[in-house]
Amino acid sequence: MAEETEYCEEADIESATKVGMISLGCAKNLVDAEIMLGALVKSGHLITNDPEEADVVIVNTCSFIDAAQEESVETILEVDAIRDAQKRGQGLVVSGCLPQRFRDDLPTLMPEVDAFMGIDQVEEVGSIVDKALVRRSERLEAEIAHGAEAGSTAEDDSSLEEDNQEEGDVPSQLAKLIEENRVAKPSLDVERRPVYVPDYETPRFRLTPQHFAYVKIAEGCNHPCTFCIIPRMRGLHRSRLEADIVAEVRQLIADGVKEINLISQDSTYYGLDLRPNHRPNIASPDRFQEAAIEAAESGSTLSSLLRSLNALEGDFWVRILYTHPAHWTDELIETIRDCDKVANYVDIPLQHIHPMMLERMRRETSKEYIVDLLKRIRKGVPGIAIRTTFIVGFPGEQPAYFEDLLSFIEETRFERLGVFTYSKEDGTLAGKMESQITDEEKQQRRERAMAVQLTISRELASSQVGQEMKVLTEGLADEEALAGAEVRSWEHGLMRDGCDDDGTALTGLYTIARGEADAPDIDGRIYIQGEVPASEFVNVRIVGHTDYDLIAELVE
């Protein structure tokens, strides 16, 4: 994507529409937000961090699980309440996965929103914002006219109480006006099956710190997992061209970025859809291996992309996120081993290990396959950190199946691990399954699994004391960071349960850093004693640890 645009381009600052953005959910959603902001700047809009200044506020939503949906809806209602109290002419646009998933229902359920937009419309956001602002003005005029009309007949109207709703009851007023055809429903710019994928020329206004960036290498997903709604929301897998990604990364490195995080719904599937006569039904390991061999001879794969990025000049590392266990190859393992700029870190959401659960989840892998894959990865790349996530409380998860998962966690000793409780989602096969498990039981299982991982995490952290490592600095730690604030991500589960044995937090001056084993926002941190310049690679010696974090001193 094109390098960051100026804050306002070709615009009269006094008359330009000011737009605020609230982005929820995963890193993939964050990239969509960055593209929308880039498109807004290009079209002459101003970006503001102050919602009171904004003429229009965009809420970029997540709809991955119930909790994410609830957060999205609560945020929308909160923005509406604030504007009703402080700036009634402010437009409200809702983008992202929520309108993509509930395309047909939201205009009726949330009439207070002025415009809904989907994934395919991110580059059209400028015109959608302008329409939302006009629509908001028309709605306010209609409300005023309706209120005057209701007031003129108040003395003789026995339904006065019904017409004169309390001030601020905007959704009810709008719903009535929409029903009476006095006001149109919120505009809806959402394609049912998204096909959009960004490229290097796409304007982008980066929201991440200077030292790291997310690079979306593909969009969509071809997997049939029974618990997941993402293919319906995001469409089929579609990869960017390798040369296009390399061009973007080259520009990011020139801009001072030190860490490139490759993201997509399934990064290991990258490039397979670019083959001639591609068929999407190659998700199983056997079919994928055959297709990957064919693709490697004449096209792009994740391995070829990593080797191209590794050949770029500069001091940086590349991190791979969101890989699927069914799509690992020996070539990929060798590539990670051979490429010194590729971090010794992989993210492989396994979801479960018991054969019955893997079958019910349609994960296309067996327990034997997963155990063998992890052995091959650790043997092929010594010292690699493996991150995974599991789902507990899935329909039909018998106590014995859960105990099998606990044993697997204890035996495998993942360097990084998160646990979800199963979220029943409408529109998924799992949502229709019998043998649903109570929320209380789900939570108990999650707590037990995280307790096992907490012990493992402490032991792994303790084993690193005395070692030296290269880390990337992020800045001084504030009180919240020193207190070990919880880090949440809807796609990775809660990572930081528990606290230090003595219940105390770090005190004093520390600089936050991350090593190769620590992805932004979801993994542990390294606290370097003293103040060290941000956005730099430095060498440190580990001198202590907390439950999930390491304490270090600078090695001169």
Side-chain angles (χ1 to χ4, degrees), residues 293-475:
I293 292 173
E294 294 177 8
E297 295 174 353
S298 58
S300 298
T301 63
L302 181 58
S303 292
S304 70
L305 174 62
L306 291 174
R307 291 184 184 277
S308 295
L309 297 179
N310 191 73
L312 293 175
E313 294 184 2
D315 189 12
F316 65 95
W317 64 38
V318 177
R319 187 182 305 279
I320 313 167
L321 298 172
Y322 310 107
T323 72
H324 193 287
H327 296 167
W328 275 77
T329 62
D330 288 337
E331 182 190 14
L332 179 57
I333 296 173
E334 293 168 3
T335 298
I336 296 173
R337 180 196 64 201
D338 296 342
C339 294
D340 59 341
K341 294 177 182 176
V342 176
N344 280 4
Y345 173 102
V346 294
D347 171 31
I348 318 177
L350 297 176
Q351 313 304 6
H352 215 284
I353 195 59
H354 192 275
M356 183 60 70
M357 290 293 94
L358 293 173
E359 182 178 341
R360 287 174 69 84
M361 291 179 176
R362 290 193 179 178
R363 290 295 290 167
E364 304 161 303
T365 52
S366 66
K367 179 176 182 177
E368 292 74 20
Y369 170 88
I370 291 172
V371 170
D372 178 68
L373 172 63
L374 297 177
K375 287 181 179 178
R376 287 192 290 123
I377 292 174
R378 282 181 164 163
K379 181 179 179 181
V381 189
I384 193 167
I386 300 178
R387 146 165 305 291
T388 194
T389 50
F390 292 113
I391 297 174
V392 296
F394 190 83
E397 185 187 50
Q398 300 297 321
Y401 303 167
F402 174 67
E403 295 298 331
D404 189 36
L405 175 61
L406 286 185
S407 298
F408 178 68
I409 293 173
E410 290 177 328
E411 294 166 2
T412 309
R413 295 175 64 81
F414 292 96
E415 285 76 14
R416 303 286 183 266
L417 182 145
V419 180
F420 283 121
T421 56
Y422 167 70
S423 177
K424 183 179 179 181
E425 299 298 320
D426 293 336
T428 64
L429 291 175
K432 301 175 183 178
M433 290 181 179
E434 297 180 353
S435 305
Q436 297 284 335
I437 294 173
T438 66
D439 290 342
E440 181 180 7
E441 180 62 27
K442 293 177 192 175
Q443 188 59 33
Q444 289 176 354
R445 292 181 184 184
R446 184 190 173 281
E447 290 172 359
R448 286 187 61 195
M450 287 306 298
V452 170
Q453 181 60 25
L454 178 60
T455 299
I456 295 171
S457 177
R458 287 171 175 162
E459 292 172 356
L460 291 176
S462 177
S463 69
Q464 295 183 73
V465 174
Q467 295 183 14
E468 293 186 9
M469 65 177 65
K470 178 181 178 181
V471 301
L472 179 59
T473 59
E474 301 207 301

Side-chain angles (χ1 to χ4, degrees), residues 137-392:
S137 177
E138 292 174 348
R139 288 179 169 194
L140 289 179
E141 291 176 4
E143 286 179 38
I144 293 171
H146 180 66
E149 178 184 320
S152 66
T153 60
E155 293 182 5
D156 302 316
D157 191 352
S158 59
S159 63
L160 173 66
E161 183 175 341
E162 178 181 343
D163 283 332
N164 284 334
Q165 301 177 57
E166 290 186 15
E167 183 179 354
D169 193 11
V170 179
S172 298
Q173 291 180 22
L174 282 174
K176 184 169 184 177
L177 292 173
I178 289 171
E179 184 178 351
E180 295 173 352
N181 294 319
R182 297 172 185 250
V183 176
K185 286 184 178 181
S187 65
L188 183 71
D189 293 282
V190 183
E191 298 293 335
R192 287 190 182 278
R193 289 292 182 183
V195 296
Y196 175 79
V197 61
D199 58 35
Y200 173 63
E201 298 299 328
T202 304
R204 182 175 174 186
F205 189 100
R206 275 208 299 123
L207 297 172
T208 52
Q210 178 186 354
H211 58 282
F212 77 85
Y214 294 104
V215 174
K216 187 179 288 191
I217 63 174
E219 182 60 276
C221 183
N222 292 348
H223 288 285
C225 302
T226 58
F227 54 81
C228 186
I229 199 72
I230 286 178
R232 281 185 54 186
M233 292 191 297
R234 293 275 177 175
L236 293 177
H237 181 100
R238 45 204 188 274
S239 300
R240 291 172 60 187
L241 295 176
E242 182 173 316
D244 191 70
I245 298 171
V246 172
E248 178 184 354
V249 173
R250 181 184 289 111
Q251 182 61 58
L252 289 169
I253 295 168
D255 292 341
V257 173
K258 301 292 184 68
E259 178 180 47
I260 305 296
N261 295 279
L262 303 182
I263 58 173
S264 69
Q265 305 299 334
D266 176 7
S267 294
T268 33
Y269 199 91
Y270 171 75
L272 271 291
D273 58 307
L274 299 177
R275 298 175 308 138
N277 304 315
H278 165 256
R279 299 184 307 277
N281 60 340
I282 57 170
S284 66
D286 291 342
R287 289 182 178 180
F288 183 83
Q289 293 285 341
E290 295 175 4
I293 292 173
E294 294 177 8
E297 295 174 353
S298 58
S300 298
T301 63
L302 181 58
S303 292
S304 70
L305 174 62
L306 291 174
R307 291 184 184 277
S308 295
L309 297 179
N310 191 73
L312 293 175
E313 294 184 2
D315 189 12
F316 65 95
W317 64 38
V318 177
R319 187 182 305 279
I320 313 167
L321 298 172
Y322 310 107
T323 72
H324 193 287
H327 296 167
W328 275 77
T329 62
D330 288 337
E331 182 190 14
L332 179 57
I333 296 173
E334 293 168 3
T335 298
I336 296 173
R337 180 196 64 201
D338 296 342
C339 294
D340 59 341
K341 294 177 182 176
V342 176
N344 280 4
Y345 173 102
V346 294
D347 171 31
I348 318 177
L350 297 176
Q351 313 304 6
H352 215 284
I353 195 59
H354 192 275
M356 183 60 70
M357 290 293 94
L358 293 173
E359 182 178 341
R360 287 174 69 84
M361 291 179 176
R362 290 193 179 178
R363 290 295 290 167
E364 304 161 303
T365 52
S366 66
K367 179 176 182 177
E368 292 74 20
Y369 170 88
I370 291 172
V371 170
D372 178 68
L373 172 63
L374 297 177
K375 287 181 179 178
R376 287 192 290 123
I377 292 174
R378 282 181 164 163
K379 181 179 179 181
V381 189
I384 193 167
I386 300 178
R387 146 165 305 291
T388 194
T389 50
F390 292 113
I391 297 174
V392 296

Side-chain angles (χ1 to χ4, degrees), residues 41-88:
V41 172
K42 183 179 180 181
S43 60
H45 297 74
L46 281 172
I47 309 302
T48 177
N49 290 325
D50 186 351
E52 293 185 13
E53 281 190 3
D55 299 306
V56 177
V57 174
I58 302 173
V59 180
N60 192 34
T61 60
C62 179
S63 187
F64 181 52
I65 56 176
D66 278 347
Q69 293 173 42
E70 291 172 7
E71 182 186 38
S72 293
V73 171
E74 288 172 0
T75 302
I76 295 167
L77 297 178
E78 182 180 351
V79 170
D80 177 56
I82 292 173
R83 76 166 171 179
D84 192 48
Q86 299 178 359
K87 193 172 184 178
R88 297 203 66 203

